[in-house]
Amino acid sequence: MAGNEWLNGYLEAILDAGSSNKGGREGVSSKVISRRKNIKAGEAESGWLSPSASSLSFWDSDGKEDKATGVVFSPTKYFVEEVINSFDESDLYRTWIKVIATRNTRERNNRLENMCWRIWHLARRKKQIAWDDAQKLAKRRLEREQGQKDAADDLSELSEGDKEKGDADQAEPVKEKIFRINSEMQIWPEDDDKSRRLYIVLISMHGLVRGDNMELGRDSDTGGQVKYVVELARALANTKGIYRVDLLTRQISSPDVDSSYGEPIEMLSSPSDADGQIEGESRGAYIIRIPCGLRERYIPKESLWPYIPEFVDGALSHIVNMSRALGDQVEGGKPMWPYVIHGHYADAGEAAAYLSGTLNVPMVMTGHSLGRNKFEQLLKQGRLSREDINSTYKIMRRIEGEELGLDAAEMVVTSTRQEIEEQWGLYDGFDVRLERKLRVRRRRGVSCLGRYMPRMVVIPPGMDFSNVKQASFDADGDLSSIIGSDRAQNKRQVPPIWSEIMRFFTNPHKPMILALSRPDPKKNVTTLLKAFGECQPLQELANLTLILGNRDDIEEMPNSSSVVLTTVLKLIDKYDLYGQVAFPKHHKQSDVPEIYRLVVKTKGVFINPALVEPFGLTLIEAAAYGLPVVATKNGGPVDIIKALNNGLLVDPHDQKAISDALLKLVADKTLWLECRKNGLKNIHRFSWPEHCRNYLSHVEHCRIRHPTTRLELIPNVVEEPMSDSLKDIDLSLKFSIDGGDVKLNGELDPATRQKELIEALTRRRQRSEYPVASTNGNVNVSYGPGRRQRLFVIAMDCYDSNGGITSSLQMIIKNIIMEATAGSGRTGFVLLTGSTLTEIIDVLKSCQVEPSYFDALICNSGSEMYYPWRDLVADVDYSAHMEYRWPGDNVKSTVMRFARVEGGAENDVAEYVEACTSRCHTYLMKQGAKTRRIDQLQQKLRMRGFRCNLVYTHASRRLNVVPLFASRAMALRYLSIRWGIDLSKMVVFVGDKGDTDYENLLVGLHKTVILKGTVEQGSESFLHGEDSYKREDVVPEASPNIISVDEGCDAHYISIALENLGIK
């Protein structure tokens, strides 16, 4: 019952804290709740699970705000946390029973009874949430394992030796054949003899990015990733064969940050005169800042998601313009498209995926840190519920961005193998075993049955060793000034940190064992100290130096850090290690190189005993200064030690193994010198030049699988009216009224001149009822695509509850065409729909609108594009552009199988053969049948290696399965490039609901007009579930590019909306 005495004390303390603040609760409570709504991502990790709003008000009502820091401290919160986390619900229940048994009329006892009951239910609720989360994770693991098994079974059906027969049996187009990949990867040459001039695009959206005086650590978004991408851009630009590197990031014009972050262009490195390449004004590395979102505000990465399409559109415009300019400089006018587009982190990975799909350029992704891993860690901590984690970190939106990156990436760059197996292995879109099996099949020329997995490669981050100064081991050199007998008279200057460390030691001449890390339990410093304290030979031979961050007062440090440091002090006292262990309170970042040099001078050893080390940057730093190392065998150090061959790996839980390894390296000077020599000899493998060579070699290797077709650009030509276009034709042709002779002022014969004139007059069709207006007021003149001032895009999903197209679509089409005709400028029309071409032609005929009014008809959810001005000919280039990773008929049976929920009838989902095409599989959903949502079905397909885009259309009565890069939004980007029309000159008309791709049509640089009340039934409920991301994570709450028309499709109100958007 001792535990219950503590419990009773906590409950009494809660009552005391509540009563002392009874008078001022309401004002403080509103502050607390307001602060919780605006809680920052970094602060949320230290919060506590709040299962309900009632519990929040219960323990936040006594909060006290520190005026200096603005931080609210709640005694009630503290004691409730202690009760919930430290006691079992049975203890709470016994206390409640005891309070009831001793109840009297005193108010305090009644309050205590009520409080016990409420906290007891909170504890039970917390346990239930933890159980539910564990069940969801376990269910998802089982689903992934089943998906892997299904894929393996399908692949095993085809004999790997029966290549020709297997390819013939499967309905896979010949052009989709995957060519054999050589097992030996060609290393990027140091002296490029091919005179390559490549253009590379890097993307890092969040944080404060600039080339000099980086503000690392200013916030959680401006850290190591910023430094990494800037140094990578510089290093790539200095590599042979690379002509230009653009690092794309977000432009920030906020008064809260330096004005340099608002500059659109910043040069990182200028061309070198010594590289022997052709010079050009655009060569080198540059930071390109793309405007997106609220430019006057600094936006944290968790809030950037709705603005990614806008960033993509701006980046697309820059890349196209730069490709033109570089092509004019070095390719004789042919566009110089990017060699690769590389996204860093989830947000940039999603942006890179869209750019890659639009431009048909290979994509590479680096995760840096991963959402699924963080999500599971936060769930295990139990401090935040699933809903709180999602709302605070936008974690589900981040995970979907990472999954899309896996869908599109040719290659994923990781730092260690542990990152591949234990972090990327959590994702639906990647499985180590399936990736290896598919890779083997590709090498043997065997069909992969439409499945795809990105290649994971380990390329450690590069480091700049130019400032590393090697230390000698002359013990009579610099060290004599601080440990010699005449040190008082020796005036030789030494780094202050040397003196700070040496003052701890009784015998500073002994070799030094160095551990450098945060005071974090995961860094396992206490096990190292125990190993040192229990090994007498090691104590006699060496000293131990612990650099564990900076501290002023241990009691004021975070709990985990203070526990580690307190344990360190207790262990030093327990083993009586005074005079043998140094633990300085302060050091600067600039002192770290000097610390390494000091350890080298004493012929010491560096150790990283972490329980798990994702990479191990300190091991590389130590090796660069010539230090042998001992490291944990868990994580990145395995790869590092293998590459450098400069130390020993140990089990971090085995104290004896740690002490034996340290003793072996310190005592055996031959081994010590050999490890030092190996480290210095092999450290170049972690340099930036080596990193870039490995990186480019892997990129070139993966490009073999990527299509080589690229977009063709229409030359930038300003359109002129037809009357002006005829000025080059000699019109002094006079036809006699009776068809007599033709008189000619020119060099050609009359027949040729007449033919030329007729061709000029009939080059374009005239439209009969609603002509496109030109700037000079002429009508009945049609202009070809690519020569428009703007495009009006009709993307109305007007369906009734049965999935039929309603008559409102006809009225909308007529009113929009009429409104455009009444205005000035050359306006073209595009129709975006989830219906088939035949269905759309019937709709246009019913409203007496000829298809030739439209420049393009984009059907089947963006998978097909037809040009009425070319007799409804399909754009074969667009079809070829979209087909990459399209599984074709291989995916049909899988979709049929998983679109139905478990226990559903066979006829709930049926193939709609009449609507199916080579790039779109269409399925009909039985009315009232339960079918899987898009996110559920997408998960099933990803687990089996299929990469598709899924769209519910026709009021959820129809499912379109189209290629990964096919969508209505991507089709607009394609037209923007092909026809040379800026996306900001497009106006997209939508309803207030639509197909499941509806949200993607609202965002970007184009203008959006929402015609409310025009769509009877949408399909959004089949997009994703309640535990997924929300609409505000896709569409910004307020955008100057979006306007609503409450009056529906009335032409007058459409005109007003266009004027408000600045279109008229």
Side-chain angles (χ1 to χ4, degrees):
M1 295 297 291
N4 267 55
E5 293 178 5
W6 279 99
L7 176 57
N8 294 337
Y10 284 142
L11 294 175
E12 292 288 341
I14 294 171
L15 286 179
D16 292 338
S19 61
S20 65
N21 292 277
K22 188 173 182 180
R25 255 175 217 173
E26 293 184 1
V28 177
S29 178
S30 63
K31 288 184 180 180
V32 176
I33 295 175
S34 175
R35 179 175 180 269
R36 286 193 165 272
K37 289 181 178 178
N38 298 282
I39 190 168
K40 295 181 180 178
E43 297 169 341
E45 292 190 28
S46 61
W48 179 76
L49 173 66
S50 53
S52 65
S54 62
S55 64
L56 175 66
S57 61
F58 169 73
W59 54 269
D60 264 351
S61 61
D62 67 325
K64 302 177 181 63
E65 184 173 6
D66 187 329
K67 295 182 179 180
T69 63
V71 175
V72 177
F73 170 72
S74 170
T76 300
K77 171 184 173 180
Y78 172 84
F79 290 117
V80 170
E81 283 185 349
E82 289 296 317
V83 171
I84 294 292
N85 294 322
S86 303
F87 298 95
D88 188 79
E89 61 182 84
S90 59
D91 294 327
L92 286 165
Y93 182 75
R94 285 195 297 269
T95 299
W96 181 46
I97 294 297
K98 180 180 178 181
V99 171
I100 292 176
T102 59
R103 175 168 40 181
N104 55 39
T105 57
R106 294 177 56 190
E107 179 187 357
R108 184 177 181 87
N109 280 44
N110 292 333
R111 289 175 58 211
L112 184 61
E113 176 189 346
N114 182 51
M115 183 176 61
C116 285
W117 183 84
R118 293 174 69 184
I119 295 181
W120 177 40
H121 279 273
L122 279 177
R124 292 174 61 85
R125 175 62 176 155
K126 178 187 176 184
K127 182 177 290 187
Q128 182 63 45
I129 289 175
W131 169 259
D132 292 343
D133 289 339
Q135 289 295 101
K136 288 181 180 179
L137 291 176
K139 181 180 179 181
R140 186 176 172 279
R141 289 192 183 98
L142 290 176
E143 289 177 346
R144 291 188 70 250
E145 291 174 2
Q146 184 61 46
Q148 294 161 10
K149 182 179 182 299
D150 290 346
D153 291 344
D154 290 345
L155 291 174
S156 64
E157 292 177 2
L158 180 66
S159 170
E160 295 187 352
D162 193 6
K163 304 174 189 177
E164 298 298 331
K165 182 177 182 298
D167 285 337
D169 291 342
Q170 301 301 325
E172 201 168 35
V174 176
K175 62 175 65 178
E176 288 188 341
K177 180 180 178 181
I178 302 175
F179 296 99
R180 182 185 297 272
I181 299 177
N182 296 327
S183 58
E184 294 297 329
M185 184 179 65
Q186 299 296 320
I187 302 299
W188 192 267
E190 293 186 11
D191 296 322
D192 186 37
D193 56 355
K194 297 181 181 179
S195 300
R196 297 192 237 198
R197 293 184 290 273
L198 304 179
Y199 174 35
I200 292 178
V201 174
L202 310 177
I203 306 176
S204 182
M205 285 186 61
H206 63 260
L208 300 172
V209 182
R210 65 182 179 187
D212 299 316
N213 301 318
M214 287 179 275
E215 300 181 81
L216 303 181
R218 170 167 174 159
D219 58 27
S220 59
D221 293 352
T222 308
Q225 178 181 327
V226 171
K227 181 180 180 182
Y228 172 82
V229 295
V230 169
E231 292 184 352
L232 175 61
R234 285 195 175 113
L236 285 172
N238 291 329
T239 303
K240 296 286 186 179
I242 306 302
Y243 189 82
R244 180 182 172 102
V245 179
D246 281 344
L247 171 56
L248 308 185
T249 189
R250 178 175 174 261
Q251 186 180 33
I252 306 169
S253 302
S254 169
D256 298 330
V257 300
D258 191 82
S259 60
S260 60
Y261 300 113
E263 294 295 327
I265 300 177
E266 177 184 346
M267 177 180 282
L268 290 176
S269 66
S270 58
S272 171
D273 295 332
D275 60 11
Q277 294 194 43
I278 299 175
E279 294 297 336
E281 59 183 8
S282 299
R283 284 203 58 209
Y286 298 83
I287 295 177
I288 307 297
R289 298 185 175 92
I290 307 295
C292 76
L294 305 175
R295 302 175 194 176
E296 70 280 1
R297 278 182 48 200
Y298 175 73
I299 303 177
K301 62 178 179 290
E302 290 79 14
S303 302
L304 273 178
W305 295 105
Y307 306 109
I308 288 180
E310 190 176 338
F311 180 91
V312 170
D313 291 347
L316 185 63
S317 176
H318 167 78
I319 292 173
V320 171
N321 292 334
M322 183 52 60
S323 296
R324 286 183 185 270
L326 295 178
D328 291 340
Q329 290 179 25
V330 298
E331 295 291 341
K334 181 181 177 181
M336 183 175 168
W337 296 111
Y339 187 69
V340 68
I341 298 177
H342 189 160
H344 294 266
Y345 195 76
D347 48 14
E350 179 172 314
Y354 287 133
L355 291 169
S356 170
T358 304
L359 298 171
N360 209 8
V361 170
M363 175 205 162
V364 173
M365 181 179 179
T366 300
H368 291 276
S369 66
L370 300 181
R372 282 206 187 276
N373 184 58
K374 182 171 185 175
F375 187 42
E376 293 200 359
Q377 293 295 330
L378 291 173
L379 285 177
K380 290 177 182 177
Q381 289 178 8
R383 295 180 178 274
L384 294 173
S385 68
R386 177 182 291 264
E387 293 75 16
D388 290 336
I389 295 171
N390 197 15
S391 62
T392 301
Y393 298 100
K394 310 297 182 185
I395 202 76
M396 301 311 296
R397 183 67 181 85
R398 173 180 172 182
I399 290 172
E400 179 56 29
E402 290 162 339
E403 291 282 12
L404 180 60
L406 287 174
D407 288 341
E410 290 288 346
M411 179 176 82
V412 177
V413 177
T414 68
S415 299
T416 65
R417 299 187 188 280
Q418 181 264 352
E419 182 182 344
I420 297 175
E421 297 170 0
E422 299 182 18
Q423 296 186 47
W424 282 115
L426 298 173
Y427 284 77
D428 302 329
F430 180 74
D431 175 61
V432 174
R433 290 172 293 180
L434 182 57
E435 190 275 330
R436 289 172 180 167
K437 179 173 288 191
L438 293 175
R439 200 187 329 155
V440 170
R441 296 175 74 90
R442 284 194 301 268
R443 287 176 178 172
R444 296 180 179 180
V446 181
S447 170
C448 291
L449 306 183
R451 288 168 168 81
Y452 171 82
M453 285 283 166
R455 179 71 186 275
M456 296 274 172
V457 298
V458 178
I459 308 178
M463 292 185 63
D464 183 8
F465 301 123
S466 59
N467 297 322
V468 173
K469 298 179 181 178
Q470 297 297 332
S472 65
F473 344 124
D474 182 10
D476 296 328
D478 295 338
L479 286 180
S480 62
S481 61
I482 53 176
I483 65 177
S485 57
D486 59 343
R487 58 187 177 212
Q489 289 79 28
N490 197 321
K491 302 298 183 181
R492 187 169 184 176
Q493 291 293 325
V494 296
I497 192 65
W498 288 15
S499 302
E500 177 65 19
I501 292 174
M502 287 300 189
R503 70 183 178 86
F504 284 89
F505 298 134
T506 303
N507 182 0
H509 294 86
K510 293 193 293 186
M512 189 184 300
I513 299 168
L514 171 65
L516 190 154
S517 69
R518 305 186 310 273
D520 189 309
K522 293 180 292 187
K523 297 303 180 181
N524 202 32
V525 177
T526 54
T527 301
L528 167 64
L529 200 50
K530 291 176 183 177
F532 184 78
E534 294 178 8
C535 183
Q536 190 62 36
L538 190 59
Q539 294 180 40
E540 295 173 355
L541 192 59
N543 293 320
L544 177 63
T545 297
L546 303 177
I547 307 296
L548 303 176
N550 292 281
R551 64 184 184 276
D552 289 317
D553 188 342
I554 293 179
E555 293 183 354
E556 295 179 358
M557 299 183 72
N559 184 60
S560 60
S561 298
S562 64
V563 168
V564 170
L565 290 169
T566 301
T567 305
V568 166
L569 296 178
K570 289 180 178 179
L571 289 173
I572 291 173
D573 186 75
K574 174 182 177 180
Y575 294 112
D576 194 17
L577 298 177
Y578 298 103
Q580 295 177 280
V581 178
F583 43 98
K585 297 184 66 170
H586 298 282
H587 75 282
K588 296 179 292 186
Q589 186 62 33
S590 59
D591 291 333
V592 174
E594 300 298 341
I595 296 172
Y596 286 131
R597 291 180 62 239
L598 175 61
V599 180
V600 172
K601 282 183 173 291
T602 66
K603 297 185 180 179
V605 175
F606 179 82
I607 181 170
N608 181 338
L611 299 176
V612 177
E613 182 59 64
F615 179 59
L617 188 62
T618 53
L619 294 172
I620 299 175
E621 291 177 346
Y625 286 90
L627 272 176
V629 300
V630 173
T632 175
K633 67 176 185 178
N634 299 329
V638 176
D639 297 323
I640 294 174
I641 300 299
K642 181 179 179 180
L644 296 179
N645 192 24
N646 71 327
L648 303 172
L649 295 172
V650 295
D651 181 351
H653 300 282
D654 191 337
Q655 294 177 201
K656 188 175 187 307
I658 293 174
S659 59
D660 288 348
L662 290 170
L663 190 61
K664 183 175 182 180
L665 277 177
V666 173
D668 189 343
K669 292 305 175 185
T670 302
L671 178 61
W672 188 93
L673 286 170
E674 182 181 353
C675 289
R676 170 183 165 83
K677 179 181 177 182
N678 290 340
L680 294 174
K681 179 180 70 175
N682 298 321
I683 195 63
H684 71 278
R685 298 186 180 184
F686 296 92
S687 65
W688 276 118
E690 188 70 14
H691 175 95
C692 292
R693 287 184 64 211
N694 288 337
Y695 172 81
L696 293 170
S697 300
H698 282 291
V699 170
E700 186 172 34
H701 183 61
C702 288
R703 279 175 58 89
I704 298 175
R705 291 188 289 169
H706 199 91
T708 57
T709 57
R710 297 290 179 267
L711 284 174
E712 294 182 4
L713 300 179
I714 293 179
N716 289 325
V717 179
V718 178
E719 172 62 11
E720 57 190 359
M722 184 177 286
S723 59
D724 295 337
S725 67
L726 299 177
K727 64 183 179 182
D728 293 332
I729 300 177
D730 193 341
L731 294 181
S732 57
L733 297 172
K734 298 182 179 179
F735 300 91
S736 63
I737 297 177
D738 58 358
D741 296 336
V742 176
K743 297 181 180 179
L744 173 65
N745 289 339
E747 301 176 355
L748 301 179
D749 62 279
T752 304
R753 299 295 293 181
Q754 182 177 351
K755 180 181 179 182
E756 186 176 358
L757 177 60
I758 292 173
E759 288 179 352
L761 292 173
T762 60
R763 190 171 297 145
R764 295 176 176 86
R765 296 185 189 149
Q766 296 183 354
R767 297 172 180 172
S768 56
E769 184 176 356
Y770 296 109
V772 177
S774 64
T775 53
N776 60 5
N778 293 335
V779 295
N780 294 327
V781 178
S782 172
Y783 291 87
R787 302 178 183 275
R788 304 298 190 190
Q789 287 186 343
R790 65 180 65 92
L791 282 182
F792 280 6
V793 181
I794 302 174
M796 305 294 302
D797 302 321
C798 299
Y799 307 114
D800 57 29
S801 58
N802 294 319
I805 300 176
T806 62
S807 58
S808 60
L809 179 60
Q810 304 169 9
M811 182 62 66
I812 291 169
I813 292 174
K814 282 190 174 184
N815 288 346
I816 291 175
I817 292 179
M818 183 182 299
E819 178 56 35
T821 305
S824 61
R826 296 185 295 276
T827 301
F829 301 98
V830 173
L831 187 60
L832 287 178
T833 178
S835 303
T836 64
L837 177 63
T838 302
E839 291 170 330
I840 290 303
I841 295 298
D842 291 342
V843 169
L844 295 178
K845 287 181 179 179
S846 66
C847 61
Q848 298 180 344
V849 173
E850 289 294 327
S852 57
Y853 278 97
F854 291 89
D855 289 339
L857 300 178
I858 300 171
C859 306
N860 285 334
S861 301
S863 61
E864 297 171 357
M865 186 178 296
Y866 299 94
Y867 298 136
W869 49 275
R870 292 173 59 186
D871 297 321
L872 288 174
V873 172
D875 188 334
V876 294
D877 291 336
Y878 180 75
S879 297
H881 196 70
M882 293 295 106
E883 73 179 359
Y884 185 50
R885 292 187 190 158
W886 173 234
D889 291 343
N890 295 296
V891 78
K892 277 188 175 182
S893 61
T894 306
V895 173
M896 288 278 290
R897 174 184 170 191
F898 289 109
R900 293 187 295 265
V901 298
E902 295 179 6
E906 286 291 330
N907 62 349
D908 283 351
V909 180
E911 185 178 0
Y912 187 19
V913 179
E914 292 81 358
C916 290
T917 66
S918 61
R919 295 291 177 268
C920 178
H921 301 326
T922 303
Y923 303 86
L924 290 177
M925 307 294 155
K926 182 180 177 181
Q927 190 166 15
K930 293 183 178 180
T931 56
R932 281 194 166 91
R933 301 187 307 265
I934 291 293
D935 59 343
Q936 295 172 327
L937 185 53
Q938 188 78 273
Q939 181 189 53
K940 299 288 186 183
L941 295 180
R942 279 171 172 161
M943 287 177 175
R944 289 156 179 81
F946 291 120
R947 314 290 172 167
C948 305
N949 185 22
L950 310 175
V951 181
Y952 274 111
T953 181
H954 288 255
S956 307
R957 296 296 305 280
R958 195 181 293 184
L959 172 67
N960 285 341
V961 181
V962 298
L964 174 65
F965 294 136
S967 72
R968 294 193 285 180
M970 293 287 276
L972 293 182
R973 294 189 177 110
Y974 174 87
L975 290 179
S976 171
I977 299 173
R978 288 299 300 267
W979 292 355
I981 300 178
D982 194 277
L983 283 162
S984 62
K985 300 301 176 86
M986 294 186 184
V987 183
V988 179
F989 294 87
V990 298
D992 48 359
K993 62 187 74 171
D995 297 349
T996 50
D997 63 348
Y998 167 77
E999 293 176 348
N1000 295 328
L1001 295 172
L1002 301 178
V1003 289
L1005 286 181
H1006 64 259
K1007 309 297 189 296
T1008 302
V1009 178
I1010 301 176
L1011 305 180
K1012 292 188 174 181
T1014 56
V1015 177
E1016 293 182 16
Q1017 190 80 22
S1019 305
E1020 300 96 322
S1021 60
F1022 282 81
L1023 182 57
H1024 47 65
E1026 294 182 357
D1027 58 347
S1028 184
Y1029 55 88
K1030 308 302 179 184
R1031 179 169 176 173
E1032 56 265 25
D1033 299 330
V1034 180
V1035 182
E1037 294 182 358
S1039 172
N1041 293 333
I1042 301 176
I1043 193 169
S1044 296
V1045 178
D1046 296 330
E1047 293 77 9
C1049 62
D1050 186 274
H1052 173 68
Y1053 294 106
I1054 291 176
S1055 176
I1056 294 175
L1058 293 174
E1059 289 180 4
N1060 291 335
L1061 288 172
I1063 301 300
K1064 304 296 284 185

